[in-house]
Amino acid sequence: MLRASFREISAALKEGQVSPTELCQKCLSLIRATRFLNAYITVAEDTALKQAEASEKRHRQGQTLGDLDGIPIAVKDNFSTAGIETTCASNMLKGYVPPYNATVVQKLLDQGAVLIGKTNLDEFAMGAGSTDGAFGPVRNPWSYSRQYRKKCAQNSSAQIEDDDWLITGGSSGGSAAAVSSFTCFAALGSDTGGSTRNPASRCGVVGLKPTYGLVSRHGLIPLVNSMDVPGILTRCVDDAATVLGVLGGHDPKDSTTVQEPFHPCRLPTLTDIKNLCIGVPKEYNTPELSSETLSVWSKAADLFETAGAKVIEVSLPHTCHSIVCYHVLCAAEVASNMARFDGLEYDLDLLSIVANIQQGHRSNADQSTETLYAATRREGFNDVVRGRILSGNYFLLKQNYENYFIKAQKVRRLIATDFAKLFRSGIDILLTPTTLSPAVLYTEFIKEDNRTRSTQDDIFTQAANMAGLPAVSVPSALSEEGLPVGLQFIGHAFHDMQLLTVAKWFEKQVQFPVIQLQGMVDHLDAVSHQEKSAFFS
């Protein structure tokens, strides 16, 4: 039951095969069973059960709110949720309870979705591994899959230790792990430079970054305003399209959302792709790209060509500058956005004192206003956040502004122009890797610092954010170690549904295997699953 798609579980709920309360309880039980994954910061059990009971009543009366009514979803803990703690995985916001819902959260609730909990992340979404949050790192469910364990046993005589677990990728690693481990049917992430697509690739799920401006950012605690986009993580492309259909459209609370009406639609099933033109950017074939990922990428291009699509090598000449440009702009906007966390705006107020609710961190060092600010930020932020604030303020200094920030903005325009020229030339979709390699062990990942890892892991994803384009990562194959390898599809701005239609066709061809979790989901429906992808075996 928990492996079902939205369409399947929605039909089961309407037909009475399972009730929303039963479904919610199953997810809560599995969250408890997989607590060691550390996917959730807050499990909203009481709220979720109340929402499930309300959904059950609507189902009995035949007055459901939509296709998501009664379906458990999770939300990354940098989206505001009324009455539910929102921490951004930081000591700075521990205990902060927002008075309102983010627009995307409210839209899901308006459709009857059940908010099961808030998921873990890198602090303030700054990272590529979901390893640098105040609540500890997230473990990749594939660390405990039969596919991975079997391959490890075949390739090594050494026994796998409990500490030998894989990172999820980040920064939306908690959301990706939650979807991958069947504790919810979909989850919201945020995507500034790949933070939804990166963990989706490494956890074997679908990760969608919509076009900038299609989905409201209101209530998403900002990292980089000009690049942040609410992301969607699901187990299949159809489900991602369903969630996008709910979330898309103008929001008067977010001036960056488009004014034109958004018309959601059910994805068609492509049977003929002969009129499709797929571009393969040569700059993405970097020396650091793993041989396995390169092989999967090449086979995917061959798959499209064999099916009749036109596949051509293309060039994005400014790609080599994109990661440096991204980090300059990212740090500059981070420095500006983090200025609000000073121990005053998110600290105790009179109502909080009366209600005995603490809202965020405030230092006890109050000898002066300057001392309070400095001590609060030193205690509340981790080294990664403080480092990016320092870098950003350096780039924004009067003597550096032209040489760093303005130059980076000019390069960003060139990067966006590269994409625009390609799409005007007749390219429909770009096909690229999502990450350099499959998930790595945590012990290996932390040998490099956060900035180095972010530079490596955002290399294929951040350009789409700087150009404001839609992009989706689709699980494509299992590596020789039995780990997911994802590929990225990039589309025209505001052609998100076309992008997802092509991704759906590809998903159907590759038949990516379902994760087989050892001993964790014995109570799930017994389903026979193939060991490897049919096409890439």
Side-chain angles (χ1 to χ4, degrees):
M1 187 65 72
L2 298 186
R3 290 190 176 105
S5 67
F6 275 158
R7 194 175 302 174
E8 293 166 341
I9 198 62
S10 181
L13 287 167
K14 289 174 182 176
E15 293 167 8
Q17 297 176 16
V18 64
S19 72
T21 302
E22 290 171 338
L23 190 61
C24 180
Q25 288 171 339
K26 282 178 179 288
C27 288
L28 289 169
S29 295
L30 194 51
I31 289 173
R32 284 189 285 270
T34 58
R35 187 175 294 139
F36 60 90
L37 295 176
N38 204 26
Y40 290 83
I41 290 176
T42 301
V43 180
E45 183 168 354
D46 293 340
T47 301
L49 288 172
K50 286 178 183 177
Q51 292 171 351
E53 289 169 6
S55 174
E56 194 164 331
K57 184 177 180 180
R58 291 193 295 270
H59 275 86
R60 284 198 301 266
Q61 295 172 344
Q63 298 176 344
T64 56
L65 298 175
D67 290 337
L68 301 186
D69 206 333
I71 298 179
I73 54 95
V75 173
K76 188 177 180 179
D77 202 29
N78 59 347
F79 287 90
S80 295
T81 46
I84 301 174
E85 186 180 18
T86 299
T87 69
C88 288
S90 175
N91 288 320
M92 183 64 83
L93 286 180
K94 272 187 180 178
Y96 169 61
V97 180
Y100 69 98
N101 283 320
T103 295
V104 287
V105 173
Q106 190 59 53
K107 284 188 172 185
L108 290 171
L109 296 177
D110 289 345
Q111 287 286 309
V114 173
L115 176 54
I116 204 85
K118 305 292 292 294
T119 58
N120 205 348
L121 63 152
D122 289 295
E123 183 163 333
F124 281 101
M126 299 184 203
S130 299
T131 58
D132 288 313
F135 299 92
V138 186
R139 298 188 180 203
N140 192 326
W142 283 83
S143 309
Y144 308 96
S145 68
R146 289 192 180 92
Q147 292 100 320
Y148 175 62
R149 295 277 165 150
K150 182 178 178 181
K151 292 292 184 180
C152 286
Q154 291 174 351
N155 298 335
S156 174
S157 57
Q159 187 176 358
I160 302 174
E161 300 294 334
D162 289 339
D163 291 336
D164 291 339
W165 49 271
L166 304 154
I167 56 111
T168 56
S171 63
S172 306
S175 290
V179 173
S180 179
S181 60
F182 308 107
T183 59
C184 63
F185 287 83
L188 294 184
S190 61
D191 197 308
T192 306
S195 290
T196 293
R197 290 159 286 157
N198 178 314
S201 175
R202 286 176 161 159
C203 291
V205 297
V206 173
L208 170 65
K209 183 205 90 69
T211 301
Y212 184 86
L214 182 60
V215 178
S216 173
R217 294 184 294 110
H218 174 70
L220 168 60
I221 295 173
L223 178 65
V224 181
N225 301 66
S226 68
M227 300 184 210
D228 291 344
V229 181
I232 299 166
L233 294 118
T234 59
R235 288 191 288 274
C236 68
V237 174
D238 264 327
D239 288 356
T242 299
V243 177
L244 180 62
V246 171
L247 303 184
H250 177 67
D251 178 15
K253 296 176 181 177
D254 179 2
S255 62
T256 63
T257 52
V258 291
Q259 297 288 334
E260 290 78 12
F262 173 64
H263 301 291
C265 63
R266 180 163 286 183
L267 292 183
T269 300
L270 277 182
T271 54
D272 184 1
I273 63 169
K274 289 183 173 61
N275 294 324
L276 198 65
C277 185
I278 303 291
V280 180
K282 63 182 181 181
E283 288 83 6
Y284 282 59
N285 187 2
T286 64
E288 299 84 7
L289 184 65
S290 73
S291 58
E292 281 188 298
T293 304
L294 176 60
S295 175
V296 171
W297 184 25
S298 299
K299 288 181 179 179
D302 292 342
L303 172 61
F304 277 101
E305 196 164 37
T306 302
K310 185 178 180 181
V311 179
I312 58 176
E313 184 180 77
V314 297
S315 177
L316 293 165
H318 294 95
T319 295
C320 59
H321 307 298
S322 66
I323 193 68
V324 176
C325 170
Y326 167 75
H327 278 288
V328 170
L329 296 175
C330 179
E333 291 199 44
V334 162
S336 175
N337 279 322
M338 293 296 109
R340 73 194 69 191
F341 302 106
D342 55 15
L344 298 181
E345 280 85 352
Y346 294 86
D347 184 49
L348 295 173
D349 57 22
L350 181 59
L351 289 174
S352 302
I353 294 172
V354 172
N356 195 28
I357 298 173
Q358 184 173 341
Q359 296 188 346
H361 175 68
R362 180 176 184 173
S363 176
N364 293 322
D366 55 0
Q367 294 89 339
S368 68
T369 304
E370 289 79 7
T371 302
L372 172 64
Y373 285 173
T376 296
R377 290 163 71 80
R378 183 179 65 250
E379 296 163 10
F381 292 140
N382 68 7
D383 291 342
V384 174
V385 177
R386 291 199 301 271
R388 292 206 192 185
I389 292 171
L390 187 64
S391 298
N393 282 319
Y394 176 80
F395 297 143
L396 294 173
L397 288 173
K398 182 178 180 180
Q399 62 267 35
N400 296 332
Y401 188 76
E402 290 284 340
N403 287 333
Y404 289 97
F405 186 75
I406 295 301
K407 277 188 179 179
Q409 289 284 33
K410 290 178 179 178
V411 174
R412 180 179 183 177
R413 176 59 61 88
L414 293 173
I415 291 166
T417 302
D418 286 346
F419 282 106
K421 285 180 178 177
L422 278 185
F423 289 131
R424 283 199 301 267
S425 72
I427 299 295
D428 296 305
I429 300 289
L430 293 173
L431 171 65
T432 79
T434 306
T435 57
L436 288 168
S437 67
V440 298
L441 290 171
Y442 172 73
T443 50
E444 291 297 318
F445 185 82
I446 60 175
K447 289 179 180 178
E448 300 279 4
D449 63 86
N450 179 288
R451 181 171 295 277
T452 302
R453 283 298 187 183
S454 295
T455 300
Q456 294 168 345
D457 290 333
D458 292 343
I459 191 167
F460 299 136
T461 52
Q462 38 72 37
N465 294 80
M466 289 198 289
L469 301 174
V472 61
S473 179
V474 180
S476 306
L478 291 182
S479 70
E480 291 181 2
E481 289 185 304
L483 296 174
V485 177
L487 293 178
Q488 177 180 228
F489 296 85
I490 304 174
H492 295 237
F494 300 107
H495 286 66
D496 300 59
M497 288 303 178
Q498 179 198 36
L499 171 71
L500 290 173
T501 299
V502 174
K504 177 182 175 180
W505 178 89
F506 177 75
E507 176 186 62
K508 184 178 179 181
Q509 306 307 306
V510 300
Q511 293 292 303
F512 184 78
V514 174
I515 186 173
Q516 299 174 26
L517 294 173
Q518 299 189 118
M520 282 191 257
V521 288
D522 294 336
H523 62 289
L524 292 178
D525 308 323
V527 181
S528 175
H529 301 290
Q530 59 196 87
E531 280 293 321
K532 292 198 73 175
S533 168
F535 174 71
F536 290 117
S537 58

